[in-house]
Amino acid sequence: MATSPALDQAASERLAVGFDGQLISPGDGGYDEARKVYNAMIDRRPGLIARCADAADVARAVDFARREGVLASIRGGGHNAGGLGVCDDGLVIDLSPMRNIEVDSDRGTVRVQGGATWGEVDRATHEHGLAVPCGIISTTGVGGLTLGGGIGHLSRRYGLAIDSLLAVDMVLADGSTVTASEDQNEDLFWAVRGGGGNFGAVTEFLFRGNPVDTVLAGPMFWPLEQTEEVLRFYDQFIADAPRDVNGFFAFLTVPPGDPFPPELHLRKVCGVVWSCTGDLEQADEALQPARELGPPLLDGVQQVPFPDMQSAFDAVYPPGLQWYWRADFVDELPDEAIAAHAQYGAELPSMHSTMHLYPIDGAVHDVGADDTAFAYRDSRWAEVIVGVDPDPANASAITEWTKRYWDALHPYSAGGAYVNFLMHDEGTDRVKATYGGNYDRLVEVKQRYDPANLFRVNQNIAPS
Ligand SMILES: Cc1cc2nc3c(=O)[nH]c(=O)nc-3n(C[C@H](O)[C@H](O)[C@H](O)COP(=O)(O)OP(=O)(O)OC[C@H]3O[C@@H](n4cnc5c(N)ncnc54)[C@H](O)[C@@H]3O)c2cc1C
Protein backbone atom coordinates (compact mmCIF):
# COMPACT_ATOMS: atom_id res chain seq x y z
CA MET A 1 0.00 0.00 0.00
CA ALA A 2 1.34 3.46 -0.93
CA THR A 3 2.52 5.92 1.68
CA SER A 4 0.06 8.77 2.09
CA PRO A 5 1.24 11.83 0.11
CA ALA A 6 1.42 13.89 3.29
CA LEU A 7 4.00 11.51 4.75
CA ASP A 8 6.78 11.59 2.23
CA GLN A 9 10.44 11.94 3.13
CA ALA A 10 10.16 15.72 3.43
CA ALA A 11 7.30 15.46 5.92
CA SER A 12 9.28 13.02 8.03
CA GLU A 13 12.22 15.47 8.02
CA ARG A 14 9.92 18.26 9.25
CA LEU A 15 8.80 16.15 12.22
CA ALA A 16 12.41 15.16 12.93
CA VAL A 17 13.31 18.74 13.92
CA GLY A 18 13.61 18.66 17.72
CA PHE A 19 12.13 15.15 17.95
CA ASP A 20 14.11 13.15 20.52
CA GLY A 21 12.63 9.71 19.86
CA GLN A 22 12.88 7.54 16.78
CA LEU A 23 11.10 8.03 13.45
CA ILE A 24 10.54 4.90 11.37
CA SER A 25 9.35 5.02 7.75
CA PRO A 26 8.39 2.22 5.36
CA GLY A 27 11.63 0.77 4.07
CA ASP A 28 13.57 1.53 7.27
CA GLY A 29 15.06 -1.39 9.19
CA GLY A 30 12.69 -2.29 12.02
CA TYR A 31 9.58 -0.95 10.22
CA ASP A 32 7.82 -4.32 10.12
CA GLU A 33 8.55 -4.98 13.79
CA ALA A 34 7.40 -1.47 14.79
CA ARG A 35 4.05 -1.72 12.95
CA LYS A 36 3.18 -5.13 14.45
CA VAL A 37 0.51 -5.25 17.12
CA TYR A 38 -0.55 -8.02 19.48
CA ASN A 39 -3.33 -9.35 17.20
CA ALA A 40 -1.65 -10.86 14.13
CA MET A 41 -4.91 -10.51 12.18
CA ILE A 42 -4.11 -6.79 12.00
CA ASP A 43 -1.68 -5.88 9.21
CA ARG A 44 -1.59 -2.08 8.86
CA ARG A 45 1.14 -0.12 7.08
CA PRO A 46 1.58 3.34 8.60
CA GLY A 47 3.25 6.11 6.62
CA LEU A 48 5.41 7.01 9.62
CA ILE A 49 5.88 5.69 13.15
CA ALA A 50 6.93 8.28 15.75
CA ARG A 51 8.36 6.44 18.74
CA CYS A 52 8.12 9.20 21.34
CA ALA A 53 10.78 9.63 24.01
CA ASP A 54 8.77 11.99 26.21
CA ALA A 55 5.69 14.21 26.50
CA ALA A 56 7.34 16.91 24.40
CA ASP A 57 7.75 14.40 21.54
CA VAL A 58 4.07 13.47 21.85
CA ALA A 59 3.13 17.16 21.60
CA ARG A 60 5.39 17.56 18.52
CA ALA A 61 3.80 14.54 16.86
CA VAL A 62 0.25 15.73 17.60
CA ASP A 63 1.09 19.22 16.28
CA PHE A 64 2.59 17.68 13.17
CA ALA A 65 -0.48 15.51 12.50
CA ARG A 66 -2.80 18.50 12.88
CA ARG A 67 -0.73 20.89 10.77
CA GLU A 68 -0.11 18.39 7.98
CA GLY A 69 -3.67 17.01 8.10
CA VAL A 70 -2.57 13.39 8.37
CA LEU A 71 -4.44 10.54 9.98
CA ALA A 72 -2.96 9.75 13.40
CA SER A 73 -3.33 6.84 15.79
CA ILE A 74 -2.08 6.66 19.38
CA ARG A 75 -0.32 3.49 20.40
CA GLY A 76 0.08 2.38 24.01
CA GLY A 77 0.54 -1.34 24.64
CA GLY A 78 -0.60 -2.36 21.13
CA HIS A 79 -3.08 -4.90 22.56
CA ASN A 80 -6.29 -3.59 21.06
CA ALA A 81 -7.93 -6.51 19.23
CA GLY A 82 -9.17 -4.18 16.51
CA GLY A 83 -5.65 -2.80 16.13
CA LEU A 84 -6.66 0.76 17.02
CA GLY A 85 -3.10 1.69 18.00
CA VAL A 86 -2.01 1.59 14.34
CA CYS A 87 -3.37 3.00 11.09
CA ASP A 88 -2.79 2.56 7.38
CA ASP A 89 -0.77 5.33 5.69
CA GLY A 90 -0.96 7.79 8.58
CA LEU A 91 1.18 8.63 11.59
CA VAL A 92 1.45 6.28 14.57
CA ILE A 93 2.14 8.27 17.72
CA ASP A 94 3.82 5.44 19.56
CA LEU A 95 4.14 5.91 23.32
CA SER A 96 5.65 2.49 23.95
CA PRO A 97 9.15 3.84 24.76
CA MET A 98 7.52 5.89 27.58
CA ARG A 99 7.23 3.31 30.36
CA ASN A 100 8.54 5.01 33.49
CA ILE A 101 6.75 4.12 36.74
CA GLU A 102 7.15 5.87 40.10
CA VAL A 103 5.53 4.60 43.26
CA ASP A 104 5.10 7.07 46.13
CA SER A 105 4.56 4.74 49.07
CA ASP A 106 3.97 7.63 51.50
CA ARG A 107 1.07 8.93 49.46
CA GLY A 108 0.05 5.49 48.20
CA THR A 109 0.10 6.66 44.60
CA VAL A 110 1.72 5.48 41.39
CA ARG A 111 2.64 7.61 38.39
CA VAL A 112 2.75 5.68 35.12
CA GLN A 113 3.85 6.89 31.70
CA GLY A 114 1.41 6.36 28.83
CA GLY A 115 3.24 3.49 27.10
CA ALA A 116 3.75 1.16 30.08
CA THR A 117 2.22 -2.29 30.40
CA TRP A 118 0.39 -3.66 33.43
CA GLY A 119 3.05 -6.24 34.27
CA GLU A 120 5.55 -3.42 34.73
CA VAL A 121 3.13 -1.53 36.98
CA ASP A 122 2.38 -4.65 39.04
CA ARG A 123 6.01 -5.42 39.65
CA ALA A 124 6.68 -1.84 40.80
CA THR A 125 3.63 -1.55 43.08
CA HIS A 126 3.96 -5.07 44.54
CA GLU A 127 7.22 -4.07 46.22
CA HIS A 128 5.14 -1.60 48.24
CA GLY A 129 2.22 -3.95 48.93
CA LEU A 130 0.02 -2.06 46.49
CA ALA A 131 -1.80 -2.75 43.22
CA VAL A 132 -3.93 -0.86 40.72
CA PRO A 133 -6.99 -2.67 39.30
CA CYS A 134 -5.92 -3.96 35.89
CA GLY A 135 -6.77 -6.76 33.46
CA ILE A 136 -5.94 -10.47 33.33
CA ILE A 137 -2.93 -10.40 30.98
CA SER A 138 0.14 -8.52 32.11
CA THR A 139 1.34 -7.50 28.63
CA THR A 140 -1.75 -5.31 28.05
CA GLY A 141 -1.11 -1.58 27.85
CA VAL A 142 -2.03 0.71 30.73
CA GLY A 143 -3.11 3.37 28.21
CA GLY A 144 -5.89 1.66 26.28
CA LEU A 145 -7.11 -0.52 29.13
CA THR A 146 -7.46 2.37 31.56
CA LEU A 147 -9.07 4.82 29.14
CA GLY A 148 -11.77 2.25 28.30
CA GLY A 149 -12.48 1.49 31.99
CA GLY A 150 -10.31 -1.47 33.01
CA ILE A 151 -11.93 -4.72 34.21
CA GLY A 152 -10.01 -7.49 35.95
CA HIS A 153 -9.14 -9.60 38.99
CA LEU A 154 -9.53 -6.70 41.44
CA SER A 155 -12.77 -5.20 40.09
CA ARG A 156 -15.12 -6.48 42.79
CA ARG A 157 -12.80 -5.26 45.54
CA TYR A 158 -11.44 -1.99 44.13
CA GLY A 159 -13.56 -1.20 41.07
CA LEU A 160 -12.38 -0.48 37.55
CA ALA A 161 -8.92 0.87 36.74
CA ILE A 162 -10.54 4.30 36.28
CA ASP A 163 -11.91 4.15 39.81
CA SER A 164 -8.33 4.35 41.07
CA LEU A 165 -7.36 7.05 38.57
CA LEU A 166 -6.54 10.37 40.24
CA ALA A 167 -5.26 12.45 37.32
CA VAL A 168 -3.94 12.34 33.78
CA ASP A 169 -1.44 14.54 31.97
CA MET A 170 -2.35 14.72 28.32
CA VAL A 171 -1.61 16.34 24.99
CA LEU A 172 -4.75 17.77 23.40
CA ALA A 173 -5.52 18.05 19.69
CA ASP A 174 -4.29 21.67 19.64
CA GLY A 175 -0.90 20.50 20.92
CA SER A 176 -1.32 21.97 24.40
CA THR A 177 -0.54 19.96 27.51
CA VAL A 178 -3.04 19.79 30.36
CA THR A 179 -3.71 17.94 33.58
CA ALA A 180 -7.22 16.59 34.17
CA SER A 181 -8.44 15.49 37.59
CA GLU A 182 -11.42 15.91 39.92
CA ASP A 183 -10.54 19.60 40.26
CA GLN A 184 -8.78 20.51 37.01
CA ASN A 185 -10.48 20.22 33.62
CA GLU A 186 -13.18 18.13 35.28
CA ASP A 187 -15.15 17.58 32.07
CA LEU A 188 -12.10 16.08 30.43
CA PHE A 189 -11.38 13.90 33.46
CA TRP A 190 -14.97 12.63 33.36
CA ALA A 191 -14.63 11.79 29.64
CA VAL A 192 -11.27 10.00 29.74
CA ARG A 193 -12.59 7.63 32.41
CA GLY A 194 -14.19 5.29 29.87
CA GLY A 195 -14.20 7.42 26.70
CA GLY A 196 -11.00 5.87 25.29
CA GLY A 197 -8.38 7.76 23.29
CA ASN A 198 -10.91 10.22 21.85
CA PHE A 199 -9.76 13.28 23.78
CA GLY A 200 -5.99 13.29 23.52
CA ALA A 201 -2.80 11.39 24.16
CA VAL A 202 -2.26 10.61 27.85
CA THR A 203 1.41 10.93 28.62
CA GLU A 204 1.08 10.15 32.34
CA PHE A 205 -1.51 8.48 34.59
CA LEU A 206 -1.64 9.06 38.36
CA PHE A 207 -3.32 6.17 40.19
CA ARG A 208 -4.16 5.39 43.78
CA GLY A 209 -2.44 2.15 44.80
CA ASN A 210 -4.63 -0.23 46.79
CA PRO A 211 -3.41 -2.65 49.45
CA VAL A 212 -2.90 -5.99 47.67
CA ASP A 213 -0.13 -8.47 48.33
CA THR A 214 -0.52 -12.23 48.15
CA VAL A 215 -3.84 -13.35 46.70
CA LEU A 216 -5.69 -16.67 46.86
CA ALA A 217 -6.12 -17.39 43.21
CA GLY A 218 -6.31 -19.92 40.43
CA PRO A 219 -8.80 -21.91 38.38
CA MET A 220 -11.39 -24.55 39.19
CA PHE A 221 -12.48 -26.65 36.22
CA TRP A 222 -15.58 -28.81 35.77
CA PRO A 223 -16.65 -31.13 32.93
CA LEU A 224 -18.55 -29.43 30.10
CA GLU A 225 -21.52 -31.67 30.91
CA GLN A 226 -21.90 -29.65 34.12
CA THR A 227 -21.94 -26.27 32.36
CA GLU A 228 -25.55 -25.40 33.11
CA GLU A 229 -25.23 -26.38 36.77
CA VAL A 230 -21.94 -24.45 37.16
CA LEU A 231 -23.32 -21.33 35.48
CA ARG A 232 -26.46 -21.33 37.66
CA PHE A 233 -24.34 -21.78 40.77
CA TYR A 234 -21.90 -19.06 39.65
CA ASP A 235 -24.71 -16.59 38.93
CA GLN A 236 -26.07 -16.88 42.48
CA PHE A 237 -22.72 -17.31 44.22
CA ILE A 238 -21.02 -14.23 42.81
CA ALA A 239 -24.07 -12.08 43.55
CA ASP A 240 -23.74 -12.90 47.26
CA ALA A 241 -19.95 -13.33 47.53
CA PRO A 242 -17.88 -10.90 49.61
CA ARG A 243 -16.09 -8.27 47.55
CA ASP A 244 -12.73 -9.84 48.33
CA VAL A 245 -13.80 -12.83 46.23
CA ASN A 246 -13.46 -12.27 42.49
CA GLY A 247 -14.04 -14.98 39.94
CA PHE A 248 -14.72 -14.96 36.24
CA PHE A 249 -16.53 -17.79 34.48
CA ALA A 250 -14.76 -19.28 31.45
CA PHE A 251 -14.94 -21.95 28.79
CA LEU A 252 -11.47 -23.10 27.86
CA THR A 253 -9.33 -25.96 26.65
CA VAL A 254 -6.82 -27.13 29.24
CA PRO A 255 -3.35 -26.25 27.90
CA PRO A 256 -1.14 -29.28 27.18
CA GLY A 257 1.62 -28.65 29.70
CA ASP A 258 2.54 -27.85 33.30
CA PRO A 259 1.01 -27.19 35.74
CA PHE A 260 -2.00 -29.06 34.36
CA PRO A 261 -2.26 -32.84 34.92
CA PRO A 262 -1.66 -34.84 31.70
CA GLU A 263 -5.11 -36.50 31.85
CA LEU A 264 -6.72 -33.05 31.42
CA HIS A 265 -4.50 -31.84 28.58
CA LEU A 266 -6.57 -30.49 25.68
CA ARG A 267 -9.86 -31.32 27.41
CA LYS A 268 -12.57 -28.68 26.96
CA VAL A 269 -13.91 -27.57 30.31
CA CYS A 270 -15.95 -24.87 31.99
CA GLY A 271 -14.57 -23.19 35.05
CA VAL A 272 -14.11 -20.17 37.26
CA VAL A 273 -10.82 -18.34 37.64
CA TRP A 274 -10.74 -17.03 41.19
CA SER A 275 -8.72 -14.21 42.64
CA CYS A 276 -9.31 -13.34 46.28
CA THR A 277 -7.84 -10.55 48.40
CA GLY A 278 -8.11 -9.74 52.11
CA ASP A 279 -8.13 -12.51 54.72
CA LEU A 280 -7.12 -15.50 52.60
CA GLU A 281 -8.34 -18.13 55.09
CA GLN A 282 -11.78 -16.58 55.04
CA ALA A 283 -11.61 -16.40 51.26
CA ASP A 284 -10.78 -20.11 51.09
CA GLU A 285 -13.81 -20.87 53.24
CA ALA A 286 -15.93 -18.65 51.03
CA LEU A 287 -14.96 -20.80 48.01
CA GLN A 288 -16.06 -24.03 49.71
CA PRO A 289 -19.55 -24.07 48.13
CA ALA A 290 -17.89 -24.13 44.70
CA ARG A 291 -15.90 -27.22 45.67
CA GLU A 292 -19.09 -28.86 46.92
CA LEU A 293 -20.78 -28.32 43.60
CA GLY A 294 -19.28 -31.59 42.49
CA PRO A 295 -15.57 -32.15 42.89
CA PRO A 296 -13.81 -29.94 40.33
CA LEU A 297 -11.67 -31.74 37.73
CA LEU A 298 -8.95 -29.39 38.89
CA ASP A 299 -8.74 -27.12 41.91
CA GLY A 300 -5.74 -24.91 41.21
CA VAL A 301 -6.52 -22.30 43.86
CA GLN A 302 -3.44 -21.36 45.85
CA GLN A 303 -1.69 -18.40 47.46
CA VAL A 304 0.38 -16.44 44.95
CA PRO A 305 1.88 -12.96 44.77
CA PHE A 306 -0.55 -10.78 42.81
CA PRO A 307 1.85 -10.16 39.88
CA ASP A 308 2.12 -13.94 39.38
CA MET A 309 -1.65 -14.22 39.15
CA GLN A 310 -1.86 -11.29 36.79
CA SER A 311 0.68 -12.85 34.45
CA ALA A 312 -0.59 -16.45 34.79
CA PHE A 313 -2.14 -16.47 31.29
CA ASP A 314 0.72 -14.68 29.50
CA ALA A 315 2.43 -17.85 28.27
CA VAL A 316 -0.79 -19.22 26.76
CA TYR A 317 -1.49 -15.93 24.97
CA PRO A 318 1.80 -14.62 23.55
CA PRO A 319 1.71 -11.82 20.95
CA GLY A 320 1.24 -12.89 17.34
CA LEU A 321 -1.93 -15.02 17.51
CA GLN A 322 -5.04 -14.44 15.40
CA TRP A 323 -7.80 -12.81 17.48
CA TYR A 324 -11.44 -12.04 16.79
CA TRP A 325 -13.85 -11.19 19.56
CA ARG A 326 -17.37 -9.98 20.26
CA ALA A 327 -18.80 -8.73 23.50
CA ASP A 328 -21.79 -7.48 25.48
CA PHE A 329 -22.73 -6.37 28.95
CA VAL A 330 -24.98 -8.88 30.67
CA ASP A 331 -27.46 -8.23 33.49
CA GLU A 332 -28.92 -11.69 33.96
CA LEU A 333 -28.48 -15.30 32.89
CA PRO A 334 -31.89 -16.75 31.99
CA ASP A 335 -32.15 -20.48 31.24
CA GLU A 336 -32.18 -19.84 27.48
CA ALA A 337 -28.89 -17.92 27.69
CA ILE A 338 -27.33 -20.64 29.84
CA ALA A 339 -28.42 -23.27 27.30
CA ALA A 340 -26.86 -21.25 24.45
CA HIS A 341 -23.62 -20.88 26.43
CA ALA A 342 -23.54 -24.64 26.97
CA GLN A 343 -24.01 -25.25 23.24
CA TYR A 344 -21.36 -22.84 21.94
CA GLY A 345 -18.93 -23.44 24.80
CA ALA A 346 -18.84 -27.09 23.77
CA GLU A 347 -17.86 -26.00 20.26
CA LEU A 348 -14.70 -24.01 21.12
CA PRO A 349 -13.04 -23.97 17.69
CA SER A 350 -9.41 -24.00 18.84
CA MET A 351 -7.22 -24.58 21.90
CA HIS A 352 -6.89 -20.84 22.63
CA SER A 353 -10.53 -19.85 22.02
CA THR A 354 -12.52 -18.96 25.09
CA MET A 355 -15.48 -17.12 26.57
CA HIS A 356 -15.25 -15.07 29.74
CA LEU A 357 -17.89 -13.50 31.97
CA TYR A 358 -16.11 -10.87 34.07
CA PRO A 359 -18.05 -9.68 37.10
CA ILE A 360 -18.43 -5.92 37.20
CA ASP A 361 -20.34 -5.68 40.45
CA GLY A 362 -19.06 -4.97 43.98
CA ALA A 363 -17.00 -1.77 44.05
CA VAL A 364 -17.79 -1.08 40.37
CA HIS A 365 -21.40 -0.47 41.44
CA ASP A 366 -20.34 2.11 44.06
CA VAL A 367 -19.82 4.66 41.28
CA GLY A 368 -22.84 6.15 39.50
CA ALA A 369 -23.59 5.49 35.81
CA ASP A 370 -22.96 9.14 34.95
CA ASP A 371 -20.10 9.81 37.40
CA THR A 372 -17.63 8.69 34.71
CA ALA A 373 -18.07 7.97 31.01
CA PHE A 374 -18.29 4.20 31.74
CA ALA A 375 -22.08 3.84 31.57
CA TYR A 376 -22.88 0.21 32.44
CA ARG A 377 -22.24 0.53 36.16
CA ASP A 378 -25.31 -1.45 37.14
CA SER A 379 -24.69 -4.35 34.80
CA ARG A 380 -23.40 -7.64 36.25
CA TRP A 381 -20.91 -8.97 33.73
CA ALA A 382 -18.79 -7.97 30.79
CA GLU A 383 -19.05 -10.96 28.47
CA VAL A 384 -16.42 -11.54 25.81
CA ILE A 385 -16.42 -14.34 23.26
CA VAL A 386 -12.92 -14.79 21.89
CA GLY A 387 -11.82 -16.79 18.88
CA VAL A 388 -8.02 -17.25 18.99
CA ASP A 389 -5.60 -19.41 17.04
CA PRO A 390 -1.94 -19.22 15.99
CA ASP A 391 -2.68 -20.26 12.39
CA PRO A 392 -3.93 -17.59 9.95
CA ALA A 393 -5.60 -20.42 7.99
CA ASN A 394 -8.05 -20.75 10.91
CA ALA A 395 -8.92 -17.04 11.04
CA SER A 396 -12.29 -17.46 9.37
CA ALA A 397 -13.24 -20.50 11.49
CA ILE A 398 -12.61 -18.68 14.77
CA THR A 399 -14.36 -15.55 13.46
CA GLU A 400 -17.43 -17.51 12.37
CA TRP A 401 -17.74 -19.33 15.71
CA THR A 402 -17.41 -16.02 17.59
CA LYS A 403 -20.10 -14.34 15.50
CA ARG A 404 -22.52 -17.29 15.76
CA TYR A 405 -22.03 -17.50 19.52
CA TRP A 406 -22.54 -13.75 19.89
CA ASP A 407 -25.65 -13.77 17.67
CA ALA A 408 -27.17 -16.44 19.91
CA LEU A 409 -26.40 -14.58 23.15
CA HIS A 410 -26.89 -10.95 22.16
CA PRO A 411 -30.69 -11.06 22.63
CA TYR A 412 -30.07 -11.76 26.35
CA SER A 413 -27.58 -8.92 26.76
CA ALA A 414 -27.96 -5.45 28.27
CA GLY A 415 -27.38 -3.86 24.83
CA GLY A 416 -23.95 -2.27 24.72
CA ALA A 417 -20.54 -3.83 25.18
CA TYR A 418 -17.38 -2.91 27.07
CA VAL A 419 -15.66 -0.51 24.69
CA ASN A 420 -12.31 -2.30 24.95
CA PHE A 421 -13.91 -5.54 23.77
CA LEU A 422 -15.36 -4.04 20.56
CA MET A 423 -13.71 -4.84 17.24
CA HIS A 424 -12.70 -1.94 15.00
CA ASP A 425 -15.58 -2.34 12.54
CA GLU A 426 -18.69 -2.66 14.69
CA GLY A 427 -20.03 0.79 13.76
CA THR A 428 -21.25 3.94 15.47
CA ASP A 429 -24.46 2.40 16.82
CA ARG A 430 -22.47 -0.08 18.88
CA VAL A 431 -20.31 2.74 20.26
CA LYS A 432 -23.46 4.70 21.12
CA ALA A 433 -24.97 1.64 22.82
CA THR A 434 -21.78 1.28 24.86
CA TYR A 435 -22.07 4.80 26.28
CA GLY A 436 -25.86 4.87 26.58
CA GLY A 437 -26.98 8.01 28.43
CA ASN A 438 -23.42 9.34 28.56
CA TYR A 439 -22.98 9.53 24.80
CA ASP A 440 -24.33 13.05 24.26
CA ARG A 441 -22.13 14.46 27.01
CA LEU A 442 -19.12 12.71 25.48
CA VAL A 443 -19.94 14.37 22.14
CA GLU A 444 -19.98 17.78 23.89
CA VAL A 445 -16.58 17.16 25.50
CA LYS A 446 -15.21 15.93 22.18
CA GLN A 447 -16.50 19.08 20.48
CA ARG A 448 -14.72 21.21 23.08
CA TYR A 449 -11.35 19.44 23.02
CA ASP A 450 -11.10 17.88 19.55
CA PRO A 451 -13.57 19.64 17.23
CA ALA A 452 -11.79 18.47 14.05
CA ASN A 453 -11.74 14.83 15.26
CA LEU A 454 -7.96 14.54 15.03
CA PHE A 455 -8.12 11.56 17.40
CA ARG A 456 -10.40 9.27 15.42
CA VAL A 457 -8.53 5.97 15.20
CA ASN A 458 -10.44 4.60 18.19
CA GLN A 459 -14.04 3.70 19.09
CA ASN A 460 -14.86 7.10 17.75
CA ILE A 461 -17.11 9.65 19.38
CA ALA A 462 -17.52 12.20 16.60
CA PRO A 463 -17.80 15.89 17.56
CA SER A 464 -21.23 17.43 17.11
C1 LIG B 1 -5.05 -10.66 25.54
C2 LIG B 1 -5.89 -9.50 25.96
C3 LIG B 1 -6.40 -9.48 27.24
C4 LIG B 1 -7.17 -8.40 27.66
N1 LIG B 1 -7.68 -8.42 28.93
C5 LIG B 1 -8.39 -7.37 29.37
C6 LIG B 1 -8.86 -7.32 30.69
O1 LIG B 1 -8.66 -8.25 31.47
N2 LIG B 1 -9.53 -6.24 31.10
C7 LIG B 1 -9.77 -5.18 30.27
O2 LIG B 1 -10.36 -4.21 30.72
N3 LIG B 1 -9.35 -5.21 29.00
C8 LIG B 1 -8.67 -6.27 28.54
N4 LIG B 1 -8.23 -6.30 27.24
C9 LIG B 1 -8.66 -5.25 26.33
C10 LIG B 1 -7.73 -4.06 26.42
O3 LIG B 1 -8.16 -3.25 27.47
C11 LIG B 1 -7.80 -3.26 25.11
O4 LIG B 1 -7.38 -4.10 24.08
C12 LIG B 1 -6.97 -2.00 25.17
O5 LIG B 1 -7.30 -1.22 24.04
C13 LIG B 1 -5.49 -2.28 25.17
O6 LIG B 1 -4.76 -1.12 25.42
P1 LIG B 1 -3.32 -0.92 24.75
O7 LIG B 1 -2.78 0.36 25.25
O8 LIG B 1 -2.53 -2.15 24.93
O9 LIG B 1 -3.77 -0.83 23.24
P2 LIG B 1 -3.32 -0.03 21.93
O10 LIG B 1 -3.64 -0.97 20.82
O11 LIG B 1 -1.96 0.51 22.01
O12 LIG B 1 -4.33 1.18 21.93
C14 LIG B 1 -5.70 0.96 21.88
C15 LIG B 1 -6.48 2.27 21.91
O13 LIG B 1 -6.23 2.92 23.14
C16 LIG B 1 -5.86 4.27 22.93
N5 LIG B 1 -4.65 4.56 23.73
C17 LIG B 1 -3.71 3.68 24.15
N6 LIG B 1 -2.80 4.33 24.90
C18 LIG B 1 -3.18 5.63 24.95
C19 LIG B 1 -2.67 6.79 25.56
N7 LIG B 1 -1.56 6.74 26.32
N8 LIG B 1 -3.32 7.96 25.39
C20 LIG B 1 -4.46 8.03 24.66
N9 LIG B 1 -4.99 6.95 24.05
C21 LIG B 1 -4.36 5.77 24.19
C22 LIG B 1 -5.59 4.48 21.48
O14 LIG B 1 -6.39 5.57 21.05
C23 LIG B 1 -6.10 3.23 20.80
O15 LIG B 1 -7.28 3.54 20.11
C24 LIG B 1 -7.43 -7.35 26.79
C25 LIG B 1 -6.89 -7.37 25.51
C26 LIG B 1 -6.15 -8.45 25.08
C27 LIG B 1 -5.65 -8.49 23.69
Side-chain angles (χ1 to χ4, degrees), residues 37-38 73-81 83-86 95 113-116 134-137 139-147 149-153 196-198 200-203 205 317 323 325 358 418 420-421 457-459:
V37 288
Y38 182 81
S73 67
I74 307 166
R75 179 183 173 131
H79 253 235
N80 190 273
L84 293 171
V86 285
L95 275 69
Q113 276 192 311
C134 48
I136 64 148
I137 303 261
T139 52
T140 310
V142 173
L145 182 137
T146 301
L147 295 170
I151 299 167
H153 295 307
N198 272 285
V202 175
T203 53
F205 295 86
Y317 293 109
W323 287 73
W325 60 23
Y358 296 108
Y418 173 40
N420 277 344
F421 292 160
V457 184
N458 43 41
Q459 299 298 346

Side-chain angles (χ1 to χ4, degrees), residues 199-267:
F199 307 95
V202 175
T203 53
E204 221 162 77
F205 295 86
L206 179 67
F207 292 102
R208 178 180 53 249
N210 304 283
V212 176
D213 194 346
T214 297
V215 292
L216 183 79
M220 286 183 198
F221 297 153
W222 289 271
L224 277 184
E225 296 71 38
Q226 265 182 270
T227 293
E228 299 198 17
E229 187 191 351
V230 173
L231 260 177
R232 278 195 195 94
F233 162 80
Y234 171 71
D235 178 8
Q236 193 58 51
F237 176 84
I238 208 74
D240 300 334
R243 287 180 176 201
D244 274 323
V245 173
N246 202 96
F248 69 86
F249 178 89
F251 288 115
L252 69 149
T253 306
V254 180
D258 286 342
F260 302 104
E263 66 276 15
L264 290 186
H265 287 179
L266 296 177
R267 178 164 172 177

Side-chain angles (χ1 to χ4, degrees), residues 7-211:
L7 283 172
D8 55 14
Q9 185 61 28
S12 164
E13 282 165 13
R14 288 195 290 283
L15 176 55
V17 178
F19 191 85
D20 287 327
Q22 191 189 7
L23 295 174
I24 306 175
S25 296
D28 287 348
Y31 173 76
D32 282 330
E33 202 47 45
R35 71 184 179 86
K36 255 190 214 160
V37 288
Y38 182 81
N39 180 3
M41 239 187 234
I42 307 294
D43 181 23
R44 306 224 169 96
R45 305 188 68 84
L48 185 60
I49 300 168
R51 306 197 73 219
C52 301
D54 52 24
D57 271 359
V58 177
R60 279 185 202 101
V62 168
D63 261 336
F64 170 85
R66 190 190 60 255
R67 276 199 318 265
E68 310 256 340
V70 297
L71 184 68
S73 67
I74 307 166
R75 179 183 173 131
H79 253 235
N80 190 273
L84 293 171
V86 285
C87 55
D88 273 324
D89 300 333
L91 174 70
V92 174
I93 303 174
D94 182 354
L95 275 69
S96 63
M98 297 170 55
R99 310 166 91 102
N100 196 41
I101 297 159
E102 283 170 29
V103 181
D104 183 333
S105 51
D106 293 336
R107 288 200 171 89
T109 57
V110 50
R111 206 168 258 290
V112 182
Q113 276 192 311
T117 60
W118 280 108
E120 293 158 349
V121 175
D122 278 340
R123 283 192 291 277
T125 53
H126 187 67
E127 284 180 27
H128 303 270
L130 300 172
V132 178
C134 48
I136 64 148
I137 303 261
S138 85
T139 52
T140 310
V142 173
L145 182 137
T146 301
L147 295 170
I151 299 167
H153 295 307
L154 300 176
S155 297
R156 299 194 78 240
R157 180 68 183 86
Y158 292 116
L160 304 172
I162 49 171
D163 299 335
S164 289
L165 187 62
L166 301 173
V168 287
D169 289 344
M170 55 197 291
V171 175
L172 301 178
D174 65 5
S176 62
T177 303
V178 296
T179 298
S181 67
E182 287 290 3
D183 43 33
Q184 287 179 83
N185 299 300
E186 299 92 316
D187 54 349
L188 194 55
F189 191 53
W190 175 85
V192 296
R193 285 177 292 165
N198 272 285
F199 307 95
V202 175
T203 53
E204 221 162 77
F205 295 86
L206 179 67
F207 292 102
R208 178 180 53 249
N210 304 283

